[in-house]
Amino acid sequence: MRRYMDNQDEFHIIQRICEGETNLFSLFLSRYSDAVYSLIVRIASSKEDAEELTQDVFIKAFKKLNTFQGKSSFLTWLYRIAYNTAISATRKTRQDFSYIDETMIDKVPDENVDMLFEKDENENLLNKLQVVLKRLSAEEKMLIALYYSKGEKIHDIAGIMDLSSDNVKIKLYRVRKKLYFLIKKND
Amino acid sequence: MQEDKAIIKALQEETASSLPPDFGERAMFCIYKEAEKKKKQNFFFMLGSLSVVSLGLIAMAAYLLKKYFSFDFAFHFQLPSLKLNSVLQYSFSIYIATLILVLVFLDHIFRTFWNKRKYGRNVEQ
């Protein structure tokens, strides 16, 4: 109910901004800039780039504000702009990520992946995970961050990444297997 | 999948950095600039639309005058003598125009009432 009320409040504020009360946009900046930045910084090449991209996201959001229909939360809508902005930026710069034979990933059993990642007490595993997370592609990093870090629902991630819900699920399973494969390969 | 505690913790422990304290201020400066740009664009768009509509009205008026009125320019430097063929044939047009004006006025009244109820204030203020 609270979230619903928040969305209603935000929709009201958006309408007032569209009518000319530009200063109200600072509410969205203070509320969401850290969330957007923490998503972008995972794939940007430097903190400065991430900061610049975050600013671009908010400027784009301001320009397109009249197209926000309130079908999703304002933050999910911002994540969609952030995803597109960050992915386009990383396409311009060369990103190094590991090439892995897809058939090798398919051979990884689901049970092994579940067992490896279900506990968070193993410091050694956490260190290895942090290393292999950096070797994922920009799209994969975004997917992992949106699902595990931001707690976005599959349906919302599908909207953000312009994919179907089934496709998001498949991609998530593949990324988990890829992480497992990379950890085992490094052992 | 949501039980992948190891992935969640690894993501949490990744070097956390935050935005500089003046980020909001700098971003708002860009937003104000963008708002100014938007305002200018809207102004020029309005100006363009008004020009097109005005030219269209002038062209339509010229066409109607040519078609339904007759001017006598035979005598130079004399005011043109305007002859209205028939006033009655325009009565229907006058009726439609009045009806439109009434409907536009009612639309304005209901819109203001609706906005007041929806937003709790007059949006025109």
Side-chain angles (χ1 to χ4, degrees):
Chain A
M1 184 65 186
R2 187 61 227 159
R3 188 175 168 140
Y4 174 73
M5 284 303 286
D6 282 347
N7 287 351
Q8 286 292 305
D9 290 346
E10 283 176 348
F11 201 65
H12 184 200
I13 292 169
I14 287 165
Q15 285 186 320
R16 287 175 64 184
I17 295 169
C18 290
E19 285 161 16
E21 292 184 63
T22 310
N23 57 321
L24 288 179
F25 197 77
S26 61
L27 289 175
F28 292 130
L29 265 169
S30 56
R31 199 179 288 182
Y32 298 128
S33 55
D34 284 326
V36 171
Y37 175 76
S38 63
L39 181 71
I40 290 176
V41 79
R42 292 182 193 281
I43 66 159
S45 48
S46 67
K47 286 174 187 174
E48 289 74 25
D49 282 353
E51 201 184 311
E52 205 173 302
L53 284 172
T54 307
Q55 191 168 297
D56 286 351
V57 169
F58 280 96
I59 293 172
K60 279 182 188 171
F62 178 74
K63 281 184 188 170
K64 293 180 186 172
L65 210 54
N66 55 343
T67 63
F68 177 70
Q69 294 172 328
K71 284 178 185 168
S72 63
S73 73
F74 186 69
L75 183 60
T76 304
W77 187 71
L78 272 179
Y79 281 152
R80 188 179 162 84
I81 299 174
Y83 173 78
N84 291 328
T85 309
I87 293 295
S88 328
T90 51
R91 275 180 195 149
K92 284 175 197 160
T93 55
R94 206 176 72 87
Q95 296 271 316
D96 291 320
F97 57 89
S98 314
Y99 172 75
I100 299 158
D101 186 0
E102 293 293 312
T103 51
M104 299 294 279
I105 295 173
D106 289 335
K107 283 177 190 163
V108 175
D110 285 330
E111 304 80 46
N112 292 12
V113 182
D114 291 341
M115 270 174 62
L116 185 71
F117 295 139
E118 73 181 356
K119 283 176 185 156
D120 60 358
E121 291 107 32
N122 188 343
E123 277 300 320
N124 188 31
L125 171 69
L126 292 178
N127 291 336
K128 283 178 187 169
L129 251 174
Q130 280 172 357
V131 172
V132 296
L133 276 168
K134 289 186 175 68
R135 292 172 66 186
L136 297 176
S137 69
E139 282 93 347
E140 289 167 340
K141 280 180 195 167
M142 277 285 197
L143 179 63
I144 285 279
L146 284 167
Y147 187 72
Y148 291 108
S149 196
K150 303 290 176 194
E152 287 288 315
K153 291 178 189 127
I154 296 282
H155 168 78
D156 289 332
I157 298 175
I160 292 165
M161 298 179 75
D162 207 11
L163 297 168
S164 68
S165 294
D166 288 339
N167 216 332
V168 171
K169 278 184 200 163
I170 292 166
K171 276 181 184 283
L172 265 171
Y173 273 108
R174 288 191 74 81
V175 175
R176 289 168 80 241
K177 282 186 176 182
K178 190 174 177 178
L179 289 171
Y180 177 92
F181 180 79
L182 287 168
I183 288 170
K184 292 295 166 194
K185 201 176 145 192
N186 287 355
D187 280 344
Chain B
M1 273 191 298
Q2 265 174 331
E3 300 304 313
D4 293 337
K5 290 178 186 164
I7 299 177
I8 296 169
K9 198 166 183 184
L11 284 168
Q12 276 172 356
E13 286 180 3
E14 266 190 337
T15 30
S17 63
S18 56
L19 284 163
D22 65 336
F23 174 80
E25 221 171 282
R26 282 189 286 124
M28 270 317 281
F29 178 71
C30 296
I31 297 292
Y32 282 127
K33 263 169 59 176
E34 205 53 54
E36 268 308 307
K37 221 163 101 183
K38 224 176 176 181
K39 239 184 208 174
K40 266 186 195 166
Q41 276 173 354
N42 282 345
F43 172 74
F44 286 116
F45 178 74
M46 283 281 287
L47 205 68
S49 311
L50 269 173
S51 308
V52 169
V53 170
S54 307
L55 283 172
L57 282 172
I58 291 167
M60 202 170 74
Y63 172 77
L64 287 172
L65 282 171
K66 200 181 166 193
K67 192 164 184 185
Y68 297 107
F69 294 89
S70 59
F71 292 94
D72 186 8
F73 289 107
F75 187 72
H76 296 286
F77 306 114
Q78 208 177 26
L79 280 172
S81 58
L82 201 64
K83 291 173 193 161
L84 189 63
N85 292 333
S86 165
V87 176
L88 276 175
Q89 75 182 74
Y90 299 106
S91 59
F92 182 70
S93 309
I94 292 164
Y95 164 72
I96 292 292
T98 316
L99 200 65
I100 287 170
L101 281 173
V102 169
L103 287 173
V104 166
F105 178 69
L106 283 175
D107 175 71
H108 170 74
I109 297 284
F110 286 125
R111 216 175 269 270
T112 314
F113 178 69
W114 169 256
N115 282 331
K116 261 186 192 170
R117 273 193 60 182
K118 196 175 177 188
Y119 306 124
R121 71 193 179 90
N122 193 347
V123 287
E124 285 176 347
Q125 278 169 1

